[in-house]
């Protein structure tokens, strides 16, 4: 037992992607090498309640069978997992005790590294990363800044533009402007021409995304997107193939072979992604070598432009008319079941699912180590 790396696995969560996260958690729990790791699952209910599970030193057959206790009420499994409970006040609500007495896991034994498997809001957006920073815990994946930039499509595009990455034309609006001067907002957007694509700035999984072919549809699409966010982005429509690349690393990241998503629907919406399962992944993508090289290079630039760490999946449009590449977005916590694009592209590049988990944990520990060595000017 003694020398195993103890991993805190956080999944579920207050987001539309709760179910996806559960599937991912089960796959990850099963894939770990239990000679090297022991795991403590943390389940976040859809309402945001934290529950801690038992210390696992073998893979569970199903997540649903694990016993979970509400955070802070009872002991999580065996006695030596007690440190996890000390962590919970932080995770639950930043109690005053924790803020004044420092990290509750200062014995250094409780949890070695946190692995958040939460997609979307309150997981992929920097909020939980901030909690881990405050708790002094290493964690897998992007930091606070990269996570939040990667979640907000407007902020992300600003970074991409700064890095000189090609993207389609876009405009954005906030609800306040929409309510105040709709005509001006529409006139500004219509410079893009029709059809255009309307998306909430901060949601993933294609929720609230629609295509507008005329003003009437545009108004409806904006109203729809505003249900999900106060900020909306509208983009030029591009008739394109969708090419993706997996990135892995910290300061010196690597890019996988590119893959292509061939959607079953008109565009890659929520249904195509998660429900009918008809979308096809083609890995490696059948594209010319120069295009593959270019897209991998752009994926690394995109990763650096948001100051990424650990992992990200960079998504591109390859325009059908002329083969021009545009970056669409990066996902700092991409789908991560063994059958998802991200691990599949690594598999094709020679990195197995298990090796991927090993590498991500190693990268998390390295990043933490480096941050520990920084002088934050706080004194003693
Ligand atoms: N500008 C665009 N032109 C054409 N299709 C688009 C455009 N933007 C998005 N799409 C389609 O909508 C899907 C979802 O959009 P995306 O920006 O990737 O949002 P999400 O964060 O929800 O994945 C894309 O995978 C693509 O199929
Ligand atoms: Mg997408």
């Amino acid at each position: 037992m003694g020398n195993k790396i103890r991993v805190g696995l956080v999944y579920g969560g207050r987001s539309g992607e709760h179910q996806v996260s559960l599937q991912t958690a089960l796959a990850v729990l099963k894939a770990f090498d239990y000679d090297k790791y022991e795991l403590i699952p943390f389940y976040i209910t859809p309402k945001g309640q934290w529950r801690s599970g038992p210390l696992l030193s073998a893979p569970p057959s199903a997540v649903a069978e694990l016993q979970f206790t509400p955070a802070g009420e009872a002991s999580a499994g065996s006695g030596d997992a007690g440190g996890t409970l000390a962590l919970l006040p932080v995770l639950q609500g930043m109690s005053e005790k924790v803020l004044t007495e420092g990290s509750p896991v200062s014995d250094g034994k409780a949890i070695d590294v946190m692995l958040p498997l939460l997609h979307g809001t309150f997981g992929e957006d920097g909020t939980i990363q901030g909690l881990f920073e405050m708790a002094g815990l290493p964690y897998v994946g992007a930091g606070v800044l990269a996570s939040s930039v990667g979640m907000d499509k407007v902020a992300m595009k600003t970074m991409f533009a700064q890095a000189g990455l090609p993207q389609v034309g876009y405009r954005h609006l906030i609800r306040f402007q929409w309510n105040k001067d709709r005509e001006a907002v529409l006139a500004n957007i219509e410079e893009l021409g029709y059809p255009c694509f309307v998306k909430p700035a901060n949601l993933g999984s294609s929720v609230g995304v629609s295509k507008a072919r005329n003003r009437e549809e545009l108004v409806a699409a904006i109203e729809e997107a505003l249900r999900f966010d106060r900020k909306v982005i509208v983009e030029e429509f591009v008739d394109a193939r969708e090419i993706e690349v997996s990135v892995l690393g910290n300061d010196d990241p690597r890019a996988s072979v590119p893959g292509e998503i061939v959607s079953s629907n008109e565009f890659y919406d929520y249904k195509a992604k998660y429900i009918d399962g008809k979308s096809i992944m083609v890995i490696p993508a059948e594209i010319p070598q120069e295009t593959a090289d270019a897209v991998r290079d752009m994926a690394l630039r995109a990763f650096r432009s948001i100051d990424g760490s650990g992992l990200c999946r960079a998504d591109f449009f390859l325009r059908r008319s002329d083969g021009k590449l545009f970056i669409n977005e990066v996902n700092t916590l991409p789908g991560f079941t063994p059958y998802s694009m991200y691990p599949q592209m690594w598999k094709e590049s020679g990195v197995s699912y298990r090796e991927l988990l090993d590498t991500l944990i190693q990268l998390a520990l390295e990043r933490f180590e480096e941050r520990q060595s920084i002088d934050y000017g706080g004194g003693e």
Side-chain angles (χ1 to χ4, degrees), residues 62-81:
V63 168
E65 282 164 22
L66 299 177
Q67 291 291 313
F68 285 86
T69 48
E73 274 182 23
S75 171
S78 61
D80 67 342

Side-chain angles (χ1 to χ4, degrees), residues 153 156-157 168-169 196-200 203-207 209 211 235-240 242 244 261 263 266-269 273 313 315 317 328-329 331:
K153 294 187 196 299
M156 177 160 62
K157 282 179 178 293
V168 298
C196 56
F197 243 80
V198 183
K199 316 173 184 177
L203 269 185
S205 293
S206 310
V207 176
V209 173
K211 184 175 172 181
E235 296 173 12
E236 238 172 76
F237 172 82
V238 56
D239 180 20
E242 295 189 57
E244 307 188 341
I261 295 278
S263 175
E266 189 187 355
F267 66 92
Y268 193 38
D269 61 7
K273 274 182 190 172
R313 196 192 68 223
D315 299 350
F317 294 129
N328 173 29
E329 62 170 344
N331 290 284

